[in-house]
Amino acid sequence: MASVPSLASNVQQRLADALTAALPEAGAADPLLRRSDRADFQANGILALAKKLGGNPRELAAKVVDAIGPNDVLGDIEVSGPGFLNITITDKAITETLAARAADDRLGVPFAAGSGTTVIDYAQPNVAKEMHVGHLRSAVIGDAMVQILEFTGEKVVRRHHIGDWGTQFGMLIQYLIEHPHELDHKDGVSGEEAMSNLNRLYKASRTLFDSDEEFKDRARRRVVDLQSGDEETLALWQKFVDESKIYFYSVFEKLDMEIRDPDIVGESGYNDMLDETCRILEESGVAVRSEGALCVFFDDVKGPDGNPVPLIVKKSNGGYGYAATDLSAIRDRVQNLGANTLVYVVDARQSLHFKMVFETARRAGWLNDKVKAVQLAFGTVLGKDGKPFKTREGETVRLVDLLDEAIDRATAVVREKAEKVGLSEQEIVENGRYVGVGAVKYADLSTSAVRDYKFDLDQMVSLNGDTSVYLQYAYARIQSIKRKAGDRSPVAHPELELAPAERALGLHLDQFGEVLADVASLYEPHKLAAYLYQLASHLTTFYDQCHVLSADNPAEVVENRLFLVDLTGRTLHQGMALLGIRTPERL
């Protein structure tokens, strides 16, 4: 089905046509339409037109109203102040527009196929290291943007740029050569066991590296073997990568997030491109030699001493820095994957690095007017004390521990209500997982990504306030009403007058597509979370003021209210799914 124009776009078009008809001398003019607390919409464009044409704004506004004439969309139009138009939509138009949305599986949201290819770089764990709370935001924000962009029609290529290369692997591989059975285990090992094996091996190899100079020398030679492609060394390195993937997949499964093997292209995936990247940069003059290193300089990047701080692409000892890998990744994503947008979901503290990498890529011609790169920067997860989130012992919080605690807390909340709703033990456990993980994701996504936010589990699993649990209960309540409705079905009745709470809910439902378009273009998933919270709040007011299944209501009122409730449920479900959050049928 074709997308359904929103009421705002419908009103915009009618006003633009009326402006052209009433004031042809003005040419194509924007009515400057916006939402209003005085009416449904307010148009402010006539004031600027009056200045341009030298006319009285109120008189010009009256001409525009006359040009609109009677219609079934714009109900009441009031000329206010210096030529503002306060516009109230007809109840009939609201219900008919919502009915068109309800008739579409996509709720009338446009699908702009062929709009481009976006590569999203997110969820970047490190091989042989545990994932911690710092990995949470990149994974959650990145996954939400993948879902939202794909839903709106963008072709999305996922990339997990894992840390799978570097000097520590020389130490680990050499230790494994000398202790060959450290990673031996039966098939079917769990993610926790895989990480336990890696942790044990890492600690043992680090102890030996720090205490035995001969082992340290052997480990350093092993790094050279790794970088030069020695077969035995690469085979052992692959064991570390495979073991780590078992662990990664277990964590992402707990996060209720899909991660696929082809999407994992770590630092090692660009090794064959590094030399050519450096050659291109040097031959084109983008990078220059400085004290033996290959560097890119910038006029606006200086250190505390006032001297330029370069982006080091190749070190003086011949080793490659992160910049060489990141620039090679840009080349690959643009030239081989055909991307016209690159989105990096990366900690805000790396903003200077990516600013320099993007500018270098622009100078080299890999980024240009047709290909852009964006850092979707995110802030830090803080504890209740407002400091970076740590354990009581001052250690970084393991992501698995954090998720387990959230699930435990949420399960306790679900269990309290379980008897009243009649949930089985299996449903309690399943819903506890959905509520716990949803609470963690929503707390992250409901905050503007660039801001820091406090991790407060008590608040996250609360039934009150701006939490995912509040939204999940709103959805479950809708399903309960539909079950109680029996053989009474949701049916739109455009002929009915709407109560204020019905109108407010309906107008908000109509904004879903506009909000998604805004979120997709600006990479701001918190705006979708805010929309859904407001939707649930409108629903609460509607419940309080408009009894849905009351025996006192005529049949068509019951059907129309069931229609509003049903469409609200579908919108909540779709919106939450785009944020990666489940909506249980019963809570």
Side-chain angles (χ1 to χ4, degrees), residues 297-315:
F297 288 90
F298 309 87
D299 293 338
D300 58 344
V301 182
K302 293 183 170 62
D305 56 2
N307 292 324
V309 176
L311 180 71
I312 300 174
V313 184
K314 193 172 186 179
K315 302 171 188 174

Side-chain angles (χ1 to χ4, degrees), residues 389-433:
F389 198 25
K390 303 278 186 184
T391 64
R392 289 179 183 175
E393 294 75 31
E395 300 290 324
T396 304
V397 179
R398 297 194 324 155
L399 184 51
V400 169
D401 292 342
L402 180 149
L403 294 173
D404 284 342
E405 187 179 353
I407 291 168
D408 288 346
R409 295 273 193 97
T411 304
V413 171
V414 172
R415 195 176 293 281
E416 278 180 29
K417 305 274 185 182
E419 190 174 338
K420 182 179 177 183
V421 183
L423 296 181
S424 67
E425 181 61 27
Q426 182 181 343
E427 286 176 307
I428 292 170
V429 171
E430 188 175 79
N431 288 354
R433 191 168 81 251

Side-chain angles (χ1 to χ4, degrees), residues 499-502 539-548 561:
E502 291 175 306
L539 185 69
T540 300
T541 304
F542 168 79
Y543 284 144
D544 291 342
Q545 297 181 11
C546 305
H547 296 158
V548 178
R561 288 179 178 176

Side-chain angles (χ1 to χ4, degrees), residues 209-226:
F209 187 86
D210 291 340
S211 62
D212 185 332
E213 288 299 319
E214 290 184 0
F215 175 78
K216 185 180 287 187
D217 288 341
R218 294 195 297 275
R220 285 174 173 161
R221 287 197 298 274
R222 188 59 60 180
V223 176
V224 177
D225 292 339
L226 178 64

